[in-house]
Amino acid sequence: MTDPIPVHREGNWAVGTSRGADFAVSRRCRHQLADLSKGRVDADGCLVCPWHASRYDVRTGAMVDGPQGFFGYRGPTPGYSALVLAYARHLRLRIGRAVRRGGRITVE
Ligand code: FES
């Protein structure tokens, strides 16, 4: 099993590396606006929200798995998760152009 890869903040962007490629996506989760720069990249290369574990494809900005909870609750919420996933199809994360300079990822 691979350890999750940390994500960082670069201005209004969450930046990191997924499947060997640098990425930049907008920072606010489409569920309840958690800061995605505090998330992690999982073994599948998806960005995982730090609050309720929604997962995003960083190449497209699409949510690929809905939240596992809401507000202070963390746990299974199958119907709710599917509902959020459905509306998030229309609210993808923005994609920035990630550029690596001196070992640091910046966004153009
Ligand atoms: S705020 Fe991101 S999954 Fe809930």
Side-chain angles (χ1 to χ4, degrees):
M1 185 165 163
T2 309
D3 289 336
I5 300 169
V7 178
H8 304 283
R9 178 180 175 176
E10 178 67 27
N12 291 326
W13 301 94
V15 301
T17 303
S18 168
R19 300 183 187 110
D22 296 331
F23 70 84
V25 296
S26 50
R27 282 180 39 219
R28 294 297 165 194
C29 179
R30 295 316 193 209
H31 177 222
Q32 290 181 327
L33 308 177
D35 185 349
L36 293 171
S37 73
K38 298 182 187 312
R40 296 276 187 268
V41 175
D42 68 12
D44 295 327
C46 289
L47 171 57
V48 182
C49 177
W51 284 5
H52 312 106
S54 284
R55 298 171 68 242
Y56 291 91
D57 183 331
V58 295
R59 297 169 299 186
T60 65
M63 184 186 282
V64 295
D65 280 319
Q68 304 302 306
F70 47 85
F71 299 113
Y73 170 72
R74 292 189 177 132
T77 53
Y80 177 73
S81 182
L83 177 68
V84 173
L85 185 60
Y87 86 66
R89 283 197 187 104
H90 306 286
L91 295 169
R92 290 182 178 209
L93 301 177
R94 288 179 292 125
I95 303 294
R97 186 158 118 57
V99 178
R100 186 170 285 268
R101 290 198 177 96
R104 183 170 167 223
I105 302 170
T106 61
V107 184
E108 292 186 339

